[in-house]
Amino acid sequence: MRPTQAILRPLTERILTGSGVRYARNINAGGIQKRSILSLKDHVYFSKATAEGPGRHGFVKSFGDAPLDLKMDMPKTAGGKGDGQNPEQLFAMGYASCFLGALQLAAARANKKDLAENAKVTANVFLGHPLEPDIDGFGLRAEIMVEGCPDDAIIAEAHEFCPYSRALEHGAEVTITKA
């Protein structure tokens, strides 16, 4: 699969609402269709990463307790050489790890800690073209597979608690500024 040439739409087709961007296609006769945005009242952790070089073929570095410096590249199936990591891999790793932590916390809160002690979470993240023709470029789809925890209520609670699940389900505040 080769990526298609993206067609950039002018900003006039977008509506700024709050600190996010909504495409004009969300307007209907009754007004703007609203999607909730999860806002933070404080933060308990801050992470910073910087990307440099030729976009998805460049380099990314995170800062903090355990800095990470990676060479990035598009997957071979998306037109790259595949000789580096890609954002989808990193997203899948973060989502799987976060969901596992949420699963174990949900089990502990339900006094069923042993149900999730040996659980395993796999996150599949798909990069592809959006089905909706008005959206250019790529989109993501995520699938979470939980092994070793048979309790559906605990899995559902983990999905409600996991910050990755919340961001995908409820949206997240995104602020873009120029330095």
Side-chain angles (χ1 to χ4, degrees), residues 31-173:
I32 297 176
Q33 295 174 355
K34 291 190 177 185
R35 177 178 176 195
S36 66
I37 300 290
L38 183 80
S39 297
L40 302 179
K41 67 178 178 181
D42 61 8
H43 69 271
V44 296
Y45 178 73
F46 163 78
S47 181
K48 177 181 176 181
T50 301
E52 295 184 58
R56 291 178 61 115
H57 305 279
F59 299 89
V60 66
K61 181 176 184 175
S62 71
F63 304 87
D65 297 340
L68 184 61
D69 198 349
L70 298 172
K71 180 182 183 310
M72 304 297 286
D73 195 16
M74 289 281 288
K76 286 182 183 181
T77 59
K81 294 179 182 175
D83 64 353
Q85 282 66 47
N86 62 70
E88 295 73 33
Q89 281 178 304
L90 302 178
F91 189 89
M93 292 170 74
Y95 200 169
S97 175
C98 190
F99 198 97
L100 178 60
L103 183 73
Q104 291 170 340
L105 178 64
R109 286 181 173 176
N111 293 319
K112 298 178 180 180
K113 185 178 178 181
D114 58 314
L115 281 182
E117 280 181 338
N118 297 314
K120 181 176 170 182
V121 175
T122 301
N124 296 319
V125 174
F126 301 86
L127 175 69
H129 297 97
L131 186 59
E132 188 173 328
D134 292 342
I135 298 177
D136 299 322
F138 291 111
L140 290 178
R141 181 179 51 139
E143 296 175 351
I144 299 297
M145 183 175 63
V146 178
E147 296 177 57
C149 181
D151 192 317
D152 289 341
I154 289 174
I155 294 170
E157 182 67 26
H159 180 57
E160 288 295 319
F161 187 81
C162 175
Y164 279 75
S165 290
R166 285 181 176 173
L168 293 175
E169 183 80 18
H170 301 290
E173 286 187 56

Side-chain angles (χ1 to χ4, degrees), residues 11-27:
L11 287 174
T12 56
E13 292 186 25
R14 298 178 183 153
I15 296 174
L16 298 176
T17 59
S19 61
V21 176
R22 300 289 185 267
Y23 286 97
R25 70 176 187 285
N26 288 337
I27 297 176

